């Protein structure tokens, strides 16, 4: 069997409902999965939810709900969200599942040569579930900027994972692009960070963290979230109980910029310790901002993805987040921008074109010949390099050109004197539209299907508008 293309997304914490930021991981991965399938490859595509840790446990406590119930309910919201986004993973992993826990414990055992216990003392924020450096403590005046609570001085026993055993190997893998970090400027950041990366603490005393996977052989210690969470990419495939060579190494792992350091430093170290190959690409995407600012409850600028989906529908959502939210840099969401993209690009450029061509083809009784898409090297190269925004520009240029040609060639007026010539013009324009629409498939599957259906019928009927005025 040839190896499947294995695509992964970060698994979100389930301490709240999904927000638009979470959509980005899913959509970027989904486009790549659909594109790979279009290329004839088999795809394994993991998503899931990260369900352990104090934050989640405290949230459940404060609501008076058993934690198992709380995580199950929230995980279901993410599963529902994925469906609503038209994202079709092959696997959905929950880190609170017994299969995952058992496999993570087996992984821990395999890492043992690189794990050692030590006493840790430092400033800790329980909201962030992490110790901060003395420098960070000083700079913030001792108050966590995210939670507005003072840091506590804590001392505890932790197990540590000896990153230093693998630094040289990780550095050369990243430098040589054996492990490709995208975009390039993030790769440079990671290499810099790697130089000073200390060994990482990977457990907590049970009294400080009860909701997590127990450390095998030490009943007083529970695994800290990162080993548990990162391992999901392997446990979902059955590792170490099953042979995963049909899937691993991952072809691309999508993560947000805030968690790249875990994926580009701790994760490769874990894989090297397990004697597994490194992923081929880790793609770090930017963040979605709301009116130029980070989304936060206190600023009241959180965008509810369901509101967008209800108002505009699925493909307009996918369109905006895949074309106007840059794949690599931070980008801004505003309702004005969304509405402009919907009206000018989807409804005008594409929707009106489809409508005009269908109406004219219907009127002139156009019968399209069998259609075979042309191989578009530029598109393939952009997609292979995850340049989605540019791929969209490339498709849109084609659509604009068809719009221009329909106006210049004016088949409606040609029809008055030369109906056969008008038919030929329309046939050509229809086929060019179909050709462009094939390229849209990974991005806008519903729309691409609808357009293909309209123009594949033996007699082209007049369709409903694809992008009507939004509710
Ligand atoms: N649970 C960890 C990930 C473990 S992966 C082994 C986590 N969860 S998270 O819920 O905080 O974030 C999940 C994903 O959503 C991350 O890739 C993160 O970067 C992304 N985003 C969270 N907020 C975001 C935006 N505002 N914009 C874009 N992506 C954002 O970290």
């Amino acid at each position: 069997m040839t190896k499947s293309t294995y695509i992964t997304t970060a698994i979100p914490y389930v301490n709240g409902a999904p927000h638009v930021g979470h959509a980005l991981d899913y959509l970027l991965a989904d486009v790549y999965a659909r594109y790979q399938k279009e290329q004839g490859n088999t795809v394994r595509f993991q998503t899931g939810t990260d369900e352990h840790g104090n934050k989640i446990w405290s949230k459940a406590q404060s609501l008076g709900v058993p934690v198992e119930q709380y995580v199950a309910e929230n995980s279901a919201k993410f599963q529902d969200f994925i469906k609503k986004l038209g994202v079709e993973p092959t696997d959905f992993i929950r880190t609170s599942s017994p299969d995952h826990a058992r496999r993570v414990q087996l992984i821990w055992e395999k890492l043992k040569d690189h794990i050692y216990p030590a006493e840790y003392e430092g400033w800790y924020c329980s909201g962030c579930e992490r110790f901060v450096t003395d420098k960070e403590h000083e700079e913030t005046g001792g108050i966590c900027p995210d939670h507005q609570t003072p840091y506590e001085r804590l001392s505890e026993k932790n197990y540590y994972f000896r990153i230093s055993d693998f630094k040289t190997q990780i550095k050369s893998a990243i430098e040589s692009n054996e492990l490709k970090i995208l975009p390039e400027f993030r790769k440079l950041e990671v290499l810099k960070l790697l130089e000073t990366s200390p060994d990482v603490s990977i457990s907590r005393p049970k009294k400080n963290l009860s909701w997590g996977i127990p450390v095998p052989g030490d009943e007083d210690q529970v695994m800290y979230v990162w080993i548990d969470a990162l391992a999901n990419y392997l446990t979902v495939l059955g590792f170490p109980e099953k042979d995963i060579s049909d899937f691993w190494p991952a072809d691309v792992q999508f993560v947000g910029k805030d968690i790249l350091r875990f994926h580009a430093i701790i994760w490769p170290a874990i894989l090297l310790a397990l004697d597994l190959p490194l992923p081929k690409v880790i793609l770090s995407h930017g963040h979605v901002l709301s009116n130029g600012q980070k989304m936060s409850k206190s600023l009241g600028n959180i965008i509810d993805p369901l509101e967008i989906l209800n108002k505009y529908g699925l493909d307009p959502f996918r369109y905006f987040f895949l074309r106007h939210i840059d794949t690599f840099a931070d980008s801004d969401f505003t309702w004005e921008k969304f509405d402009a993209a919907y009206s000018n690009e989807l409804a005008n450029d594409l929707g009106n074109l489809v409508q005009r061509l269908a109406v004219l083809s219907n009127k002139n009784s156009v019968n399209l010949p069998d259609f075979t898409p042309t191989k578009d090297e530029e598109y393939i190269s952009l997609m292979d390099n995850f340049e989605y925004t540019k791929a969209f520009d490339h498709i849109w240029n084609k659509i604009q050109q068809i719009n221009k040609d329909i106006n210049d060639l004016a088949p409606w007026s040609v029809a008055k004197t030369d109906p056969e010539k008008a038919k030929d013009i329309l046939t050509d324009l229809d086929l060019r539209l179909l050709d462009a629409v094939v390229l849209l498939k990974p991005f806008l599957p519903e729309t691409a299907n609808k357009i293909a259906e309209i123009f594949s019928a033996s007699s082209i009927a007049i369709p409903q508008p694809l992008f009507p005025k939004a509710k």
Side-chain angles (χ1 to χ4, degrees), residues 57-112:
W57 188 81
S58 320
K59 195 81 185 276
Q61 284 292 96
S62 71
L63 295 169
V65 182
V67 68
E68 292 82 359
Q69 180 190 331
Y70 178 71
V71 295
E73 282 169 7
N74 273 345
S75 178
K77 284 186 198 158
F78 278 88
Q79 292 179 51
D80 186 49
F81 182 49
I82 286 171
K83 242 190 230 143
K84 289 206 167 97
L85 291 175
V87 170
E88 292 174 355
T90 53
D91 298 81
F92 188 96
I93 183 161
R94 297 186 51 202
T95 58
S96 68
S97 72
D99 279 351
H100 174 74
R102 189 181 65 251
R103 289 170 184 159
V104 173
Q105 287 181 323
L106 294 170
I107 288 174
W108 180 286
E109 300 277 7
K110 285 177 177 286
L111 297 177
K112 261 204 158 147

Side-chain angles (χ1 to χ4, degrees), residues 235-465:
T235 61
V236 73
L237 301 175
F239 185 85
E241 296 167 333
K242 291 184 189 161
D243 173 14
I244 59 168
S245 53
D246 285 342
F247 309 101
W248 193 262
D251 292 81
V252 49
Q253 303 203 262
F254 291 91
V255 301
K257 62 173 188 180
D258 54 323
I259 57 172
L260 176 63
R261 59 193 315 178
F262 301 102
H263 284 81
I265 297 174
I266 307 179
W267 180 225
I270 293 175
L271 291 167
L272 290 169
L274 293 171
D275 231 351
L276 287 171
L278 301 181
K280 292 181 193 157
V281 176
I282 297 181
L283 187 147
S284 157
H285 62 77
H287 275 189
V288 184
L289 307 174
S290 163
N291 278 316
Q293 280 175 304
K294 191 175 165 170
M295 269 178 275
S296 81
K297 281 192 188 131
S298 54
L299 287 172
N301 62 351
I302 292 188
I303 310 286
D304 176 6
L306 299 181
E307 195 182 337
I308 309 175
L309 285 164
N310 289 339
K311 191 166 173 209
Y312 290 93
L314 172 60
D315 275 359
F317 187 104
R318 291 177 65 105
Y319 178 79
F320 187 84
F321 281 88
L322 290 162
R323 187 174 190 193
H324 293 289
I325 299 291
D326 189 90
T327 311
F328 302 111
D330 288 352
S331 307
D332 201 23
F333 175 94
T334 68
W335 286 100
E336 292 74 24
K337 282 187 199 173
F338 192 99
D339 201 58
Y342 182 84
S343 321
N344 302 336
E345 293 156 27
L346 286 177
N348 247 349
D349 296 343
L350 182 60
N352 280 351
L353 175 64
V354 168
Q355 203 68 19
R356 280 175 95 188
L357 280 176
V359 168
L360 286 166
S361 302
N362 170 282
K363 203 167 165 190
N364 291 281
S365 311
V366 169
N367 268 321
L368 292 180
D370 279 347
F371 155 76
T372 344
T374 37
K375 199 165 158 71
D376 186 328
E377 298 294 347
E378 186 177 343
Y379 170 80
I380 291 176
S381 146
L382 291 170
M383 294 299 282
D384 284 347
N385 289 301
F386 311 97
E387 295 281 4
Y388 295 164
T389 332
K390 289 187 186 142
F392 249 124
D393 290 344
H394 177 70
I395 301 168
W396 232 255
N397 282 339
K398 292 182 183 236
I399 291 171
Q400 301 285 35
Q401 193 58 48
I402 305 172
N403 269 315
K404 183 173 180 306
D405 290 348
I406 192 174
N407 288 339
D408 290 350
L409 299 168
W412 54 90
S413 94
V414 175
K416 289 181 200 147
T417 53
D418 190 345
E420 279 314 306
K421 187 167 174 208
K423 254 190 186 179
D424 287 347
I425 293 173
L426 285 166
T427 302
D428 180 56
L429 293 170
D430 288 351
L431 291 176
R432 279 170 56 198
L433 174 66
L434 283 178
D435 217 24
V437 162
V438 170
L439 312 183
L440 270 183
K441 268 183 161 179
F443 298 103
L444 311 179
E446 266 186 4
T447 304
N449 272 344
K450 274 190 203 162
I451 299 174
E453 260 170 41
I454 295 168
F455 292 96
S456 70
S458 52
S459 69
I460 297 167
I462 298 173
Q464 293 291 317

Side-chain angles (χ1 to χ4, degrees), residues 9-13 19 21-22 24-25 50 226 229-230 232-233 254-259 263 285-289 295:
T9 67
I11 49 172
Y13 293 122
H19 62 70
H22 295 130
L24 218 51
D25 277 283
D50 192 355
W226 279 102
L230 289 165
N232 94 85
Y233 303 125
F254 291 91
V255 301
K257 62 173 188 180
D258 54 323
I259 57 172
H263 284 81
H285 62 77
H287 275 189
V288 184
L289 307 174
M295 269 178 275

Side-chain angles (χ1 to χ4, degrees), residues 104-174:
V104 173
Q105 287 181 323
L106 294 170
I107 288 174
W108 180 286
E109 300 277 7
K110 285 177 177 286
L111 297 177
K112 261 204 158 147
D113 286 351
H114 308 279
I115 293 177
Y116 63 94
E119 199 63 32
Y120 183 86
E121 194 192 317
W123 296 106
Y124 187 79
C125 169
S126 56
C128 302
E129 287 181 23
R130 67 179 185 110
F131 283 97
V132 294
T133 57
D134 286 346
K135 190 163 166 244
E136 244 178 304
H137 181 261
E138 199 185 303
E139 280 169 2
T140 53
I143 310 274
C144 169
D146 288 337
H147 297 92
Q148 296 302 322
T149 47
Y151 294 113
E152 303 162 64
R153 195 72 188 164
L154 275 189
S155 161
E156 59 178 33
K157 175 184 162 187
N158 288 179
Y159 284 104
Y160 280 79
F161 182 50
R162 214 180 293 109
I163 298 281
S164 43
D165 289 349
F166 305 101
K167 272 192 181 180
T168 320
Q169 260 175 293
I170 298 173
K171 183 168 183 263
S172 77
I174 294 178

